[in-house]
Amino acid sequence: MMKEEKERLDELFDRLYPLTRSITGPGLRESLDILKEVIPLDVEHVSSGTEIFDWTIPEEWRVYDAYLVGPNGKKYADIDETNLHVINYSKPVDKRLSLEELKHHIYTDPESPDAIPYVTSYYDRKWGFCLSKNTFDSLPEGEYHAYIDSKFIDGKLSYGHCKLEGKSDDEVLISSYICHPSLANNELSGPLVLCALYNRIKRWSNRHFTYRFVLAPETIGSLAYLHNYSDELTEHLVSGAVLTCLGGYKKRVNYQKSRMGDSLLDRVVLNEKKFGDIELEVRQFTPINGSDERQFCSPGFNLPVGQFAKTVYGEYDGYHNSKDDKEFMTIEALIDSADHIETILKRLKYALCYKNTKPYGEPFLSKYNLYSSVNAPDTRNDSTDYIQNDKRVFLNKALRVLNYCDGEREMVDIAEKYGYSIKDLDSIIDTLVEKKLLKKIGI
Amino acid sequence: MMKEEKERLDELFDRLYPLTRSITGPGLRESLDILKEVIPLDVEHVSSGTEIFDWTIPEEWRVYDAYLVGPNGKKYADIDETNLHVINYSKPVDKRLSLEELKHHIYTDPESPDAIPYVTSYYDRKWGFCLSKNTFDSLPEGEYHAYIDSKFIDGKLSYGHCKLEGKSDDEVLISSYICHPSLANNELSGPLVLCALYNRIKRWSNRHFTYRFVLAPETIGSLAYLHNYSDELTEHLVSGAVLTCLGGYKKRVNYQKSRMGDSLLDRVVLNEKKFGDIELEVRQFTPINGSDERQFCSPGFNLPVGQFAKTVYGEYDGYHNSKDDKEFMTIEALIDSADHIETILKRLKYALCYKNTKPYGEPFLSKYNLYSSVNAPDTRNDSTDYIQNDKRVFLNKALRVLNYCDGEREMVDIAEKYGYSIKDLDSIIDTLVEKKLLKKIGI
Amino acid sequence: MMKEEKERLDELFDRLYPLTRSITGPGLRESLDILKEVIPLDVEHVSSGTEIFDWTIPEEWRVYDAYLVGPNGKKYADIDETNLHVINYSKPVDKRLSLEELKHHIYTDPESPDAIPYVTSYYDRKWGFCLSKNTFDSLPEGEYHAYIDSKFIDGKLSYGHCKLEGKSDDEVLISSYICHPSLANNELSGPLVLCALYNRIKRWSNRHFTYRFVLAPETIGSLAYLHNYSDELTEHLVSGAVLTCLGGYKKRVNYQKSRMGDSLLDRVVLNEKKFGDIELEVRQFTPINGSDERQFCSPGFNLPVGQFAKTVYGEYDGYHNSKDDKEFMTIEALIDSADHIETILKRLKYALCYKNTKPYGEPFLSKYNLYSSVNAPDTRNDSTDYIQNDKRVFLNKALRVLNYCDGEREMVDIAEKYGYSIKDLDSIIDTLVEKKLLKKIGI
């Protein structure tokens, strides 16, 4: 199964990587089509010129060819080699010009001199090429031929989404972005882990929450999605997370809390960090950088959406440049991320509000085979079904859960207060629910 | 007076100790009758078979004789020697059997090998004897005669209660349990300190609260009491405490907070611990072990009931065995406990909400003889009735009390915020109330 | 301008210092008349005998002459030398008496043996003289002539107030006291800094708040003011401060918080102390000592009034005695205090609640020339009007301000949470308000 998942992700990566994605256009649509083979995305479109809050959907960018030829006939940039060579949303050009003139149209990343940077100019019409700093420094004097065959048309922005229904119509959002061409960690890691999570959660028995999966171009795409679905999200969303930068060499998962800072998922992750066994780093929400959580968490929406990442901006030198490839990202790292995130998502239903159904005095536990009927030093708590090795530990947890589940506190807060991880409590909760001593509130 | 109290408690102890108490039956009733000689208990009964929340009042247990005779004719267990020798609620038996067979019916306390453990089996019909581990290990092979003459009848569970009325019908509950035979610290210390407190509080002049005293078998008895009186308790109870394990060698008082954690008594005890002179240890509420506060603090009732103890489970090796006797407990320790608890209870009325009756500006203190009318370096605050040695200290406290008593904050919270003990403020409160500058809210 | 202010304050000081001020009477009225030349005070009067909350306005005290002549003909006390020599509110006397008898009427300050103390007896009719401890110790045996020509008449207590209107009728109160004769730091520093602040705030363009200035005799005068204006203050007051002891050698400003502890000014001062550049010491409110904030912050009013001071009681040995003169206080120290307080008051409007006008998603910042339209490593955030040297710093602050200004949190709380001083944010707020991306709430 894991083998199969790994192969599927590897194949998906190789097909998606070379496509010339942008925030609109054919590369984006082709990418969504490929992903539809794996998860049943419903793809929707928003036309150029549509006003989306303070923004306007731009014209669609189409690029057919792009290269830069030097005085010596050498191709210094060529879209066929890598689509990073041309500025995303570059306007067309067919011009011969001196090195001096050309330099105003060349972008490099001085901090990563052997890498080709990824540069965009969505909202201001420019043309330009991206070169490694080393190549740039080696450009000879003479006449260059700059050629970009691109055009802007009234087109559309596309995004895809789908749901896995649960017992409750309370929703958990899993969202990622799809708009960067030829970047691995800071693009494909998100959609690929999203695919893995979809296929895992689909197999969960007794799924409590409904899971909503969204793939859209970053920023403008999530704004377009919010434009169409913010009412649904506001009504149903219990928690959610944006997936970004989930590959790389880091072992632990990095979670950024939602703007509100105390969503169910925020608290479950914090509980896991303090008392569980998944290694986690937890950050506060910031509007300064990051991904689509900046839109979900803008003050008008203030949705309970966090962010899962692994190796983020500042932790690797391939950010937004050609070093961000599969060798750096690795499929194994993605599976590791999917494992951790799936485990955390499984905790969510045990973090909800439960109510003791026998709240007046202690329940008569012997009746439920949860307590020994003989109270003696050497047989205490014997002869019960559910209390095996760690008898007293089970009983103590059950007594705490029963006492504190007064229908006012969520389990994650009870766990937090008394130093339990959700994992410490999940089987007790299942047992007490099965014996009808505990009842989930609101279902 | 103290001499008299000590003698009375000593005599009570000696009469109560040997009775074969259980959660029902004649030993319990006889114990309540003896206690009625000292405090005016109103004794009530609940019939076997009555459903009490998730529980059912069991049949009444009567035991007439019980012994275990060895192959050598030696009596290894004999109810006439100590009623701990027979399992509480043991079913009748009259049987000759081998050592091998017998062993399934013998209970010991391996951690206290020279002590006879106290064992109960209220809700599962068994028979058995309790022996010290040392005796058990010395039992010879051969045929034994096990004889228990007991029976179960449709009877009743009994409890007793009484009140000392105060100016307010807000109540303070003092509760303890009565069901363990021949145990001193973990049985009689509670009822005896309760008797001492009753007789002390009865003598208080100007009693503010109404005090309710309850003695019932542990767990099922307090549940029966709650079944009949939970509405009254819910309506009137301001604070309360279960008394348990109040003897032993420990000097300090150990207070366990109520489940809500901020009852008036909880806060008064915490204030006393931080700023007062009684040595105190304070624990959080736990549903895992303890006494009847587990029932009072079950989530359906959530009453403001804490627990006073001195030497608790884990602090002495006589827990639930024959070492828990008067030599360990000592009557002196009980009087010490009564002293501490009485002092703390006296603080309660000073911890309430008071209101400054002249809240607009500072009161004109000179008018009340609380402030010197001459403001000079060497006569400041002279010639006042109430300001004697510690003039400025008194005035400062009075100014703080007047300023912060805005009718919204309880005095204990004001004391907490400004680092006073209740004892630091009681005489200032009395003075300001007498001068009509301060008024208790709600009376 | 600063030169002019210094000269004006210096001249005011010299005219006000020698007047025989008290809580009523001609010295008080003459002082208010002089201050009216500088700020347009509206002076009001309350008649002797008027009941003010728990107090009564006393008779007016008038003193015409006062001296103490020794057996050697030497004048040991003379009101013409300093009005501190006679007890404020001394009753008349014309008596020859022995040193022994006289001593009951002499007041000294043993802790400052070369200083003449300032003594009052407003509410108890006494007569007496104040001498330095050294003079007192040197008094020869023999007959003394004690002469005080004073009288008490049905008169009035006076106070003055005026306003500087702002865009909002939300008010900031600046209050000080005027009743001590011949004291500099603990009297004139307050009214003089109040005058300086009036004239500075008058020149502010775009004044947001309305500023109310009050000068009244301490305690009884502020109570009289509250008696007439507490409804207005309760309705409009957002924050305020009493000015006291603003001279002396200390460099930092000492702010005492209001009783509520979280007024706008309380929070602005705390923010400035933590993140700003003015050196500040911050104390909790206390009803034990201090100035008129004790009346403003009495529980019936509980107004948001703090206290600004520099060198307070306990920090200098001239408290309430003849050492408290202009040499100790210095006019330069007053200007320093006015500078600091003016700067803090300027922060207030930036501490209010603002709302992002484009709360759904991030605003499209490029449109407002706040964000570079090209996203590249070496040109990020170029070519914008507002982002010059510290481009990214400006943008980050703007993004935070926009995200957190949801109309529910005041800016000072946002600043506090994210570690900014108000000064860090004021120009960003101005820019965003100008671009209509931010809007002050409630105006």
Side-chain angles (χ1 to χ4, degrees):
Chain A
M1 180 65 110
M2 283 300 116
K3 187 76 189 310
E4 195 190 300
E5 182 180 61
K6 182 169 184 295
E7 279 164 8
R8 196 170 53 223
L9 295 180
D10 201 53
E11 185 208 313
L12 263 177
F13 181 92
D14 292 343
R15 291 170 66 196
L16 290 166
Y17 188 70
L19 301 179
T20 302
R21 273 178 297 283
S22 184
I23 56 174
T24 61
L28 170 60
R29 282 190 293 274
E30 198 178 337
S31 299
L32 289 168
D33 284 344
I34 291 171
L35 287 159
K36 278 175 77 170
E37 298 171 21
V38 185
I39 61 173
L41 288 176
D42 193 3
V43 176
E44 297 177 352
H45 311 284
V46 184
S47 300
S48 300
T50 307
E51 296 201 353
I52 300 290
F53 309 118
D54 202 32
W55 302 61
T56 305
I57 302 292
E59 286 180 299
E60 191 175 312
W61 180 58
R62 300 202 175 170
V63 62
Y64 305 99
D65 199 3
Y67 53 80
L68 173 68
V69 181
N72 46 9
K74 183 173 170 185
K75 272 196 173 172
Y76 285 98
D78 185 353
I79 197 170
D80 291 337
E81 190 195 317
T82 169
N83 44 29
L84 298 180
H85 265 151
V86 62
I87 287 187
N88 204 300
Y89 261 74
S90 197
K91 64 181 179 184
V93 68
D94 184 1
K95 191 172 179 184
R96 288 166 200 278
L97 68 183
S98 70
L99 178 58
E100 188 65 20
E101 288 172 293
L102 176 68
K103 281 187 172 177
H104 296 287
H105 297 275
I106 303 291
Y107 295 82
T108 66
D109 184 347
E111 299 199 359
S112 216
D114 56 339
I116 302 159
Y118 168 57
V119 175
T120 66
S121 182
Y122 302 134
Y123 303 104
D124 191 16
R125 292 287 171 262
K126 291 180 188 283
W127 67 264
F129 293 95
C130 302
L131 301 180
S132 75
K133 183 66 164 57
N134 292 341
T135 302
F136 178 81
D137 291 340
S138 73
L139 293 178
E141 292 291 334
E143 194 188 68
Y144 285 78
H145 180 203
Y147 181 79
I148 299 173
D149 179 10
S150 68
K151 63 177 175 183
F152 299 97
I153 63 161
D154 261 353
K156 53 202 182 185
L157 174 150
S158 310
Y159 58 76
H161 66 148
C162 60
K163 279 195 203 178
L164 285 170
E165 303 284 345
K167 282 196 250 171
S168 167
D169 58 5
D170 289 344
E171 287 188 15
V172 174
L173 171 73
I174 307 290
S175 165
S176 194
Y177 51 89
I178 181 108
C179 57
H180 304 63
S182 306
L183 293 172
N185 186 44
N186 186 15
E187 167 82 358
L188 290 174
S189 74
L192 296 190
V193 171
L194 185 145
C195 290
L197 287 172
Y198 180 92
N199 283 297
R200 289 162 178 234
I201 293 170
K202 192 180 168 185
R203 291 191 297 265
W204 290 2
S205 60
N206 249 326
R207 195 161 47 235
H208 174 72
F209 293 108
T210 291
Y211 282 80
R212 179 190 293 250
F213 299 82
V214 175
L215 284 171
E218 208 173 13
T219 305
I220 184 79
S222 59
L223 286 168
Y225 191 78
L226 280 162
H227 196 248
N228 291 337
Y229 292 100
S230 69
D231 285 354
E232 278 188 24
L233 292 175
T234 298
E235 185 179 349
H236 295 298
L237 212 59
V238 166
S239 275
V242 170
L243 307 183
T244 180
C245 296
L246 284 161
Y249 58 93
K250 291 275 183 178
K251 287 295 167 208
R252 53 93 191 97
V253 175
N254 189 318
Y255 179 74
Q256 181 183 283
K257 294 205 276 183
S258 70
R259 180 179 183 273
M260 58 178 64
D262 62 352
S263 78
L264 192 70
L265 181 55
D266 292 345
R267 287 178 291 149
V268 163
V269 169
L270 218 62
N271 175 279
E272 185 66 28
K273 178 181 163 66
K274 289 171 78 172
F275 307 115
D277 42 27
I278 299 179
E279 202 188 335
L280 279 155
E281 194 172 315
V282 178
R283 289 171 295 145
Q284 298 300 315
F285 169 74
T286 173
I288 286 179
N289 48 41
S291 183
D292 291 320
E293 70 281 355
R294 289 161 62 178
Q295 311 313 322
F296 293 118
C297 295
S298 55
F301 301 120
N302 198 26
L303 292 164
V305 176
Q307 183 212 75
F308 280 116
K310 186 168 257 176
T311 314
V312 295
Y313 177 52
E315 296 184 337
Y316 67 114
D317 63 357
Y319 177 74
H320 270 201
N321 70 43
S322 57
K323 287 184 180 170
D324 185 357
D325 58 15
K326 191 163 79 168
E327 278 58 57
F328 169 73
M329 181 195 79
T330 83
I331 300 295
E332 289 77 5
L334 301 192
I335 289 179
D336 207 45
S337 291
D339 288 346
H340 289 334
I341 297 170
E342 184 189 14
T343 302
I344 289 166
L345 294 176
K346 275 185 175 164
R347 307 270 193 261
L348 285 177
K349 85 167 177 183
Y350 294 107
L352 292 169
C353 191
Y354 290 77
K355 195 170 177 357
N356 176 342
T357 63
K358 309 278 186 189
Y360 301 105
E362 285 180 10
F364 183 38
L365 294 179
S366 311
K367 199 160 77 179
Y368 306 94
N369 208 11
L370 288 168
Y371 194 79
S372 170
S373 51
V374 182
N375 188 4
D378 50 354
T379 64
R380 207 158 292 158
N381 313 318
D382 251 359
S383 70
T384 55
D385 284 356
Y386 292 88
I387 301 165
Q388 305 278 335
N389 292 327
D390 240 351
K391 293 180 276 192
R392 189 70 201 175
V393 170
F394 184 99
L395 181 64
N396 288 352
K397 287 180 190 171
L399 285 168
R400 282 209 175 109
V401 164
L402 288 168
N403 186 280
Y404 297 120
C405 282
D406 49 15
E408 289 176 16
R409 288 187 272 195
E410 286 175 298
M411 193 67 84
V412 65
D413 296 331
I414 296 172
E416 174 68 22
K417 181 156 183 187
Y418 301 100
Y420 292 123
S421 72
I422 298 290
K423 190 188 168 194
D424 288 333
L425 300 180
D426 53 7
S427 71
I428 279 113
I429 296 167
D430 282 339
T431 298
L432 294 175
V433 166
E434 185 199 325
K435 293 192 177 263
K436 300 195 192 315
L437 284 169
L438 209 60
K439 193 171 173 313
K440 200 186 289 127
I441 293 296
I443 287 294
Chain B
M1 182 64 113
M2 283 301 118
K3 186 77 192 307
E4 198 190 298
E5 182 179 61
K6 182 169 185 294
E7 278 164 8
R8 197 168 53 224
L9 295 180
D10 200 53
E11 186 208 310
L12 264 176
F13 181 92
D14 292 343
R15 290 171 67 196
L16 290 166
Y17 189 70
L19 300 179
T20 302
R21 273 178 297 282
S22 184
I23 56 174
T24 61
L28 169 61
R29 282 190 294 274
E30 197 177 338
S31 300
L32 289 168
D33 284 343
I34 291 170
L35 287 159
K36 277 174 77 169
E37 298 170 21
V38 184
I39 61 171
L41 288 175
D42 192 5
V43 176
E44 297 178 352
H45 310 284
V46 184
S47 300
S48 299
T50 307
E51 296 201 354
I52 301 291
F53 309 119
D54 202 32
W55 302 61
T56 305
I57 302 292
E59 286 181 300
E60 189 175 312
W61 180 57
R62 299 201 177 171
V63 61
Y64 305 98
D65 200 3
Y67 54 79
L68 173 68
V69 183
N72 47 10
K74 185 174 168 184
K75 272 195 173 172
Y76 285 99
D78 185 353
I79 197 170
D80 291 336
E81 191 194 318
T82 169
N83 44 30
L84 298 180
H85 265 151
V86 61
I87 286 188
N88 205 299
Y89 261 75
S90 197
K91 66 180 178 184
V93 67
D94 183 1
K95 190 172 180 183
R96 288 167 200 279
L97 69 183
S98 70
L99 178 58
E100 188 64 20
E101 289 172 292
L102 177 68
K103 281 187 172 177
H104 295 288
H105 298 275
I106 303 292
Y107 294 83
T108 67
D109 183 347
E111 298 199 1
S112 214
D114 56 340
I116 302 158
Y118 169 56
V119 175
T120 66
S121 182
Y122 302 134
Y123 303 105
D124 191 16
R125 292 285 173 261
K126 291 181 188 283
W127 67 265
F129 293 95
C130 302
L131 301 180
S132 75
K133 182 67 164 55
N134 292 342
T135 301
F136 178 81
D137 290 341
S138 73
L139 291 178
E141 293 290 336
E143 193 188 69
Y144 286 78
H145 179 202
Y147 180 79
I148 298 173
D149 179 9
S150 68
K151 63 178 177 182
F152 298 97
I153 63 162
D154 259 354
K156 54 202 180 184
L157 174 149
S158 309
Y159 58 75
H161 66 147
C162 60
K163 277 195 204 178
L164 284 170
E165 302 285 345
K167 282 196 251 172
S168 166
D169 58 4
D170 288 345
E171 286 188 16
V172 175
L173 171 74
I174 307 291
S175 165
S176 194
Y177 51 89
I178 181 110
C179 56
H180 303 63
S182 306
L183 294 173
N185 186 44
N186 187 14
E187 167 81 358
L188 290 175
S189 74
L192 295 190
V193 171
L194 184 145
C195 289
L197 287 172
Y198 180 92
N199 282 297
R200 289 161 178 235
I201 293 170
K202 190 180 168 186
R203 291 191 298 266
W204 289 2
S205 60
N206 251 325
R207 194 161 48 234
H208 174 73
F209 292 109
T210 292
Y211 282 81
R212 180 190 291 251
F213 298 83
V214 175
L215 284 171
E218 209 173 13
T219 305
I220 183 81
S222 58
L223 286 168
Y225 191 78
L226 281 163
H227 196 249
N228 291 338
Y229 291 99
S230 69
D231 285 354
E232 279 188 25
L233 292 174
T234 297
E235 185 178 350
H236 295 298
L237 213 59
V238 165
S239 276
V242 170
L243 307 183
T244 180
C245 296
L246 283 162
Y249 58 93
K250 290 276 183 178
K251 286 298 168 205
R252 54 90 191 97
V253 175
N254 189 318
Y255 179 74
Q256 181 182 285
K257 293 205 276 184
S258 70
R259 180 179 183 272
M260 56 178 66
D262 62 351
S263 78
L264 192 69
L265 181 56
D266 292 346
R267 287 178 291 150
V268 164
V269 169
L270 217 62
N271 175 279
E272 185 66 29
K273 178 182 164 65
K274 289 172 77 173
F275 307 114
D277 40 27
I278 298 179
E279 202 188 335
L280 279 155
E281 195 172 315
V282 179
R283 289 171 295 144
Q284 298 300 314
F285 169 74
T286 173
I288 287 178
N289 48 40
S291 183
D292 290 321
E293 71 281 354
R294 290 160 62 178
Q295 311 313 321
F296 293 118
C297 295
S298 55
F301 300 121
N302 198 26
L303 291 165
V305 176
Q307 183 213 75
F308 280 115
K310 186 168 257 175
T311 315
V312 295
Y313 178 50
E315 296 183 336
Y316 68 113
D317 63 357
Y319 177 74
H320 269 202
N321 70 42
S322 57
K323 285 184 181 172
D324 185 357
D325 57 16
K326 190 163 79 167
E327 278 59 55
F328 169 73
M329 181 194 78
T330 84
I331 299 296
E332 289 77 6
L334 301 193
I335 289 179
D336 207 45
S337 291
D339 287 346
H340 288 334
I341 297 170
E342 184 189 14
T343 301
I344 289 167
L345 295 176
K346 275 185 175 163
R347 306 269 193 262
L348 285 177
K349 84 166 177 183
Y350 295 107
L352 292 169
C353 191
Y354 289 78
K355 194 169 177 357
N356 177 342
T357 63
K358 309 279 186 189
Y360 300 106
E362 286 180 9
F364 182 37
L365 294 179
S366 311
K367 200 162 75 180
Y368 306 95
N369 209 10
L370 288 168
Y371 195 79
S372 170
S373 51
V374 182
N375 188 4
D378 49 355
T379 65
R380 206 159 293 157
N381 312 318
D382 250 1
S383 71
T384 54
D385 285 355
Y386 293 88
I387 301 165
Q388 305 277 336
N389 292 326
D390 241 352
K391 292 180 279 194
R392 190 69 202 174
V393 171
F394 184 100
L395 181 65
N396 288 352
K397 287 179 189 170
L399 285 168
R400 283 209 175 109
V401 164
L402 288 168
N403 186 280
Y404 297 121
C405 282
D406 50 14
E408 288 175 17
R409 288 187 271 194
E410 286 176 297
M411 192 67 82
V412 65
D413 296 331
I414 295 172
E416 174 68 21
K417 182 156 182 188
Y418 301 100
Y420 293 122
S421 72
I422 298 290
K423 191 188 167 195
D424 288 333
L425 299 180
D426 53 8
S427 70
I428 279 113
I429 296 168
D430 282 339
T431 298
L432 295 175
V433 167
E434 185 198 327
K435 293 190 177 265
K436 300 197 190 318
L437 284 168
L438 209 60
K439 194 172 173 312
K440 201 185 287 129
I441 294 294
I443 287 292
Chain C
M1 180 65 111
M2 282 298 116
K3 186 78 191 308
E4 199 191 296
E5 183 180 61
K6 183 169 184 295
E7 279 163 9
R8 198 170 53 224
L9 295 180
D10 202 52
E11 185 208 311
L12 263 177
F13 182 92
D14 291 343
R15 290 170 67 195
L16 290 166
Y17 188 69
L19 301 179
T20 302
R21 274 177 297 282
S22 183
I23 56 174
T24 62
L28 170 60
R29 283 189 292 273
E30 198 178 338
S31 299
L32 290 168
D33 283 343
I34 291 170
L35 289 159
K36 277 174 77 168
E37 297 170 22
V38 185
I39 61 173
L41 287 175
D42 193 4
V43 176
E44 297 178 352
H45 309 284
V46 184
S47 300
S48 299
T50 308
E51 296 201 353
I52 300 291
F53 309 119
D54 202 33
W55 302 61
T56 305
I57 302 292
E59 287 180 298
E60 189 174 313
W61 180 58
R62 298 201 175 170
V63 61
Y64 304 99
D65 199 3
Y67 53 79
L68 173 69
V69 182
N72 46 10
K74 184 173 170 185
K75 272 195 173 171
Y76 285 98
D78 185 353
I79 197 170
D80 290 337
E81 190 195 316
T82 170
N83 46 30
L84 298 179
H85 265 150
V86 61
I87 287 188
N88 205 299
Y89 262 75
S90 196
K91 65 181 177 183
V93 68
D94 183 0
K95 192 174 180 182
R96 286 165 201 279
L97 68 181
S98 70
L99 178 59
E100 188 64 21
E101 289 172 291
L102 176 69
K103 282 187 172 176
H104 296 287
H105 297 275
I106 304 292
Y107 295 82
T108 66
D109 184 347
E111 298 199 359
S112 215
D114 56 341
I116 302 159
Y118 168 56
V119 175
T120 66
S121 182
Y122 301 134
Y123 303 104
D124 191 17
R125 292 285 172 264
K126 290 182 190 281
W127 68 264
F129 293 95
C130 302
L131 301 180
S132 76
K133 184 65 164 55
N134 292 341
T135 301
F136 178 81
D137 290 340
S138 73
L139 292 178
E141 292 291 334
E143 193 187 68
Y144 285 77
H145 181 202
Y147 181 80
I148 299 174
D149 179 11
S150 67
K151 63 179 177 184
F152 298 97
I153 63 162
D154 260 356
K156 54 204 181 185
L157 175 150
S158 310
Y159 58 75
H161 66 148
C162 61
K163 279 194 203 177
L164 285 171
E165 302 285 345
K167 282 197 251 171
S168 167
D169 58 4
D170 288 345
E171 286 188 16
V172 174
L173 171 74
I174 308 291
S175 165
S176 194
Y177 51 90
I178 181 110
C179 56
H180 304 63
S182 305
L183 294 173
N185 185 44
N186 186 14
E187 167 83 358
L188 290 175
S189 73
L192 295 190
V193 171
L194 184 144
C195 289
L197 288 171
Y198 180 92
N199 283 296
R200 290 161 176 234
I201 294 170
K202 191 180 167 185
R203 291 190 299 266
W204 289 2
S205 60
N206 250 325
R207 196 162 45 235
H208 174 72
F209 292 108
T210 291
Y211 282 80
R212 179 190 291 251
F213 299 82
V214 176
L215 284 171
E218 208 173 13
T219 304
I220 183 81
S222 58
L223 286 167
Y225 191 78
L226 281 162
H227 197 249
N228 291 338
Y229 292 99
S230 69
D231 286 354
E232 279 188 24
L233 292 174
T234 297
E235 186 178 349
H236 296 298
L237 213 60
V238 166
S239 275
V242 170
L243 307 182
T244 180
C245 296
L246 283 161
Y249 59 93
K250 291 275 182 177
K251 287 297 167 206
R252 52 93 189 97
V253 174
N254 188 318
Y255 180 73
Q256 181 182 284
K257 294 205 276 185
S258 70
R259 179 179 184 272
M260 57 179 65
D262 62 352
S263 78
L264 191 69
L265 181 56
D266 292 345
R267 287 177 292 150
V268 164
V269 169
L270 217 63
N271 175 279
E272 185 66 30
K273 178 182 164 65
K274 289 172 77 172
F275 307 115
D277 41 27
I278 298 180
E279 201 188 336
L280 278 156
E281 194 172 314
V282 179
R283 289 171 295 145
Q284 298 299 316
F285 169 74
T286 173
I288 286 179
N289 47 40
S291 182
D292 290 320
E293 71 281 355
R294 289 160 63 178
Q295 312 313 321
F296 293 118
C297 296
S298 55
F301 301 120
N302 198 27
L303 291 165
V305 176
Q307 184 213 76
F308 280 117
K310 186 168 258 175
T311 315
V312 296
Y313 178 51
E315 296 184 336
Y316 67 113
D317 62 358
Y319 177 74
H320 270 200
N321 69 41
S322 57
K323 286 184 181 170
D324 185 355
D325 57 15
K326 191 163 78 167
E327 278 59 55
F328 170 73
M329 181 193 79
T330 83
I331 300 295
E332 288 78 5
L334 301 193
I335 289 180
D336 206 46
S337 291
D339 287 346
H340 288 334
I341 297 170
E342 185 189 13
T343 302
I344 289 167
L345 294 176
K346 275 185 175 163
R347 307 268 193 263
L348 285 177
K349 84 166 177 183
Y350 295 106
L352 292 169
C353 191
Y354 290 77
K355 194 169 179 356
N356 177 342
T357 63
K358 308 278 186 189
Y360 300 106
E362 286 181 8
F364 183 36
L365 293 179
S366 311
K367 199 162 75 180
Y368 306 95
N369 209 10
L370 288 169
Y371 194 79
S372 170
S373 52
V374 182
N375 188 4
D378 50 356
T379 65
R380 206 158 293 157
N381 312 317
D382 250 1
S383 71
T384 55
D385 285 355
Y386 293 88
I387 300 165
Q388 305 278 336
N389 293 324
D390 240 351
K391 294 180 277 194
R392 189 70 201 173
V393 170
F394 184 101
L395 181 65
N396 288 352
K397 286 180 189 170
L399 285 168
R400 282 209 175 111
V401 164
L402 288 167
N403 186 280
Y404 297 121
C405 282
D406 50 14
E408 287 176 17
R409 288 187 273 194
E410 287 175 297
M411 193 67 83
V412 64
D413 296 330
I414 295 171
E416 174 69 22
K417 181 156 183 189
Y418 301 101
Y420 292 123
S421 72
I422 298 290
K423 192 187 165 194
D424 288 334
L425 300 179
D426 54 7
S427 69
I428 279 114
I429 296 168
D430 282 338
T431 298
L432 295 174
V433 167
E434 185 199 325
K435 293 190 177 266
K436 300 200 191 314
L437 284 168
L438 209 59
K439 193 172 173 311
K440 199 186 289 128
I441 293 295
I443 286 292

